[in-house]
């Protein structure tokens, strides 16, 4: 049976490796000219030759999770003494992984996937070769979507945003702090990037104001020229009114408001749609219920990503190529809808349908039990949780921490 994988980042690589384990020969289409996906640093932003720049990496980025939870279950990052490493180190790791499992020969680089269409019992994939500009149709029995979800910026709607005469930027297009030199910057967002980048850009900016609605975040985690404000009520020509009634002027508004799940190449008959950033309808957040010969890998966030992607790949292939049988479409849909209803009842929004965080181990166990495959070690979720807490408590110094995994349940901080 033929298998298509879209993307040669963390998700695509482990899907290719696990496909070979199942005696399948994958065809991997990769937009860039190298392995690494979102971890590849690219100074370009916006669009190049009509194609959006995929990378969100900025200069000197270091991970906000320890490397001990960022490797694959049976292929660790290792080597580096530090726990918090550079984006280049992650790229080197992914290249080492690809070489170890001899994956390069299955990857067709500089391949722009234009359309994925269901044609009877096959997936028709239209691909443009960016070197020759030649377009070609391919046909596959199964397809894995592993194109990541840090490539399409999400901008929140703010009243009168059109009046503001200063500059706008989304964190997706941020590369170096010098663009903020001497400027008064309003950072909007409450995720890890917003907090981290507020400190980073403050070394160049005249002053930084972070607007967020997080609870329990102390001003002591920021550098001295970073102040905080509640949500923005509206903008005018020169600045922002906040919900507490205050007003400040700014030169630049820096949106750190996350990303949208986007699959522009999927035709309507693929059976996938996104509503308020909830990707539907997926069984266990990865198998396409309407067309179960398609799976989407890597959607859940605030997780040990590489560990989870590997588990998802093994889960999906147990149905694609193993003995496991999926429940009926009705049963899978009911389970999926009920899970989201439960989240909504707990006060979460639809856009948080794929957010796991402290619930990630429960999700991993669900997949492992359903497919009867090996689970992720609980220590991974425990260390992920500890690291996330330290990020919020000690933003300026948490990357100095060094961790060591002791066993499947235990880790220690060694410095």
């Amino acid at each position: 049976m033929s298998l298509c994988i879209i993307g040669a980042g963390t998700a695509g690589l482990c899907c290719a490796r696990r496909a070979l384990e199942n005696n399948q020969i994958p065809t991997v289409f990769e937009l860039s000219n190298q392995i690494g996906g979102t971890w590849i640093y690219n100074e370009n932003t916006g669009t190049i030759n009509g194609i959006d720049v995929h990378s969100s990496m900025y200069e000197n980025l270091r991970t906000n999770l320890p490397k001990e939870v960022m490797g694959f279950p049976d292929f660790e990052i290792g080597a580096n003494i530090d726990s918090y490493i550079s984006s280049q180190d992650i790229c080197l790791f992914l290249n080492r992984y690809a070489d170890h499992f001899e994956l390069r020969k299955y990857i067709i680089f500089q391949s722009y996937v234009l359309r994925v269409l269901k044609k009877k019992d096959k997936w028709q994939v239209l691909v443009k070769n960016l070197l020759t500009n030649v377009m070609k149709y391919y046909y596959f029995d199964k397809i894995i979507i592993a194109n990541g979800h840090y490539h399409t910026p999400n901008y929140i709607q703010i009243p009168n945003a059109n009046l503001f005469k200063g500059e706008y930027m989304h964190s997706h297009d941020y590369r170096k702090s010098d663009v903020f030199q001497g400027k008064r910057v309003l950072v909007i967002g409450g995720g890890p990037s917003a907090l981290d980048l507020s400190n980073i850009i403050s070394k160049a900016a005249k002053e930084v104001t972070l607007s967020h609605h997080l609870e329990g975040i102390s001003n002591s985690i920021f550098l001295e020229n970073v102040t905080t404000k509640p949500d923005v009520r509206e903008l005018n020509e020169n600045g922002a009114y906040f919900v507490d009634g205050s007003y400040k002027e700014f030169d630049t508004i820096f949106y750190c408001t996350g990303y949208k799940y986007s699959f522009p190449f999927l035709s309507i008959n693929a059976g996938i749609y996104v509503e308020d950033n909830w990707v539907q309808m997926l069984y266990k957040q990865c198998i396409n219920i309407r067309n179960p010969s398609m799976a989407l890998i890597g959607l859940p966030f605030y997780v040990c990503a590489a560990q989870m992607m590997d588990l998802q790949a093994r889960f999906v292939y147990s149905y694609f190529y193993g003995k496991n049988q999926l429940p009926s479409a009705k049963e899978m849909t009911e389970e999926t809808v009920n899970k989201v209803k439960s989240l909504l009842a707990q006060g979460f929004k639809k856009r948080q349908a794929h957010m796991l965080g402290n619930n990630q181990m429960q999700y991993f166990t669900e997949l492992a039990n359903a497919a009867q495959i090996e689970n992720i070690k609980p220590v991974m979720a425990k260390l992920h949780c500890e690291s996330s807490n330290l990020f919020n408590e000690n933003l300026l110094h948490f990357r100095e921490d060094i961790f060591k995994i002791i066993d499947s349940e235990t880790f220690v901080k060694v410095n």
Side-chain angles (χ1 to χ4, degrees), residues 128-294:
K128 181 180 182 180
N129 182 314
L130 296 179
L131 295 174
T132 63
N133 279 334
V134 171
M135 290 190 279
K136 181 179 175 181
Y137 288 108
Y138 296 80
Y139 293 86
F140 298 97
D141 298 302
K142 310 281 188 186
I143 187 165
I144 299 281
I145 312 299
N147 68 320
H149 53 86
Y150 295 113
H151 49 75
T152 303
N154 177 53
Y155 289 90
I156 61 168
Q157 300 300 312
I158 299 174
N160 297 326
N162 60 306
L163 297 180
F164 183 66
K165 292 179 179 177
E167 298 171 332
Y168 291 94
M169 180 185 282
H170 191 279
S171 58
H172 177 66
D173 294 321
Y174 168 74
R175 296 294 183 266
K176 298 178 182 179
S177 293
D178 56 10
V179 296
F180 297 117
Q181 191 67 47
K183 293 182 177 177
R184 301 164 297 171
V185 184
L186 171 61
V187 179
I188 298 178
S193 290
L195 274 60
D196 212 11
L197 286 170
S198 292
N199 279 333
I200 290 170
I201 70 170
S202 73
K203 294 168 186 175
K206 181 180 179 182
E207 64 171 329
V208 174
T209 303
L210 171 63
S211 167
H212 70 87
H213 51 252
L214 295 174
E215 295 180 3
I217 296 295
S218 166
N219 286 338
S220 65
I221 68 172
F222 299 111
L223 293 171
E224 60 183 22
N225 63 331
V226 179
T227 57
T228 59
K229 284 282 187 184
D231 287 342
V232 176
R233 191 183 78 217
E234 64 179 314
L235 298 177
N236 70 0
E237 291 87 347
N238 301 311
Y241 292 95
F242 298 92
V243 293
D244 63 358
S246 62
Y247 174 81
K248 279 187 86 169
E249 292 190 347
F250 299 100
D251 304 302
T252 303
I253 298 178
F254 189 27
Y255 286 89
C256 295
T257 44
Y259 294 85
K260 294 188 285 192
Y261 293 105
S262 178
F263 315 98
F265 46 81
L266 290 185
S267 295
I268 290 173
N269 76 349
I272 295 292
Y273 64 100
V274 184
E275 179 192 3
D276 195 14
N277 237 23
W278 172 27
V279 184
Q280 304 172 57
M281 281 293 200
L282 299 174
Y283 179 57
K284 307 290 188 192
Q285 302 202 45
C286 50
I287 294 178
N288 181 343
I289 294 174
R290 290 180 180 84
N291 289 300
S293 55
M294 171 187 283

Side-chain angles (χ1 to χ4, degrees), residues 53-77:
V53 172
H54 198 88
S55 176
S56 302
M57 288 297 106
Y58 52 84
E59 190 177 59
N60 301 322
L61 180 141
R62 287 176 68 194
T63 61
N64 59 18
L65 288 173
K67 72 177 190 303
E68 287 75 16
V69 304
M70 294 184 71
F72 295 105
D74 59 353
F75 197 90
E76 297 174 358
I77 294 176

Side-chain angles (χ1 to χ4, degrees), residues 69 304 360-361 377-389 407-411:
V69 304
C304 306
Q360 62 183 302
M361 200 64 220
K377 294 172 183 173
V379 67
M380 296 297 164
K382 290 178 183 178
L383 179 49
H384 182 280
C385 181
E386 172 71 2
S387 171
S388 298
N389 290 337
D407 54 39
S408 63
E409 294 281 348
T410 319
F411 69 89

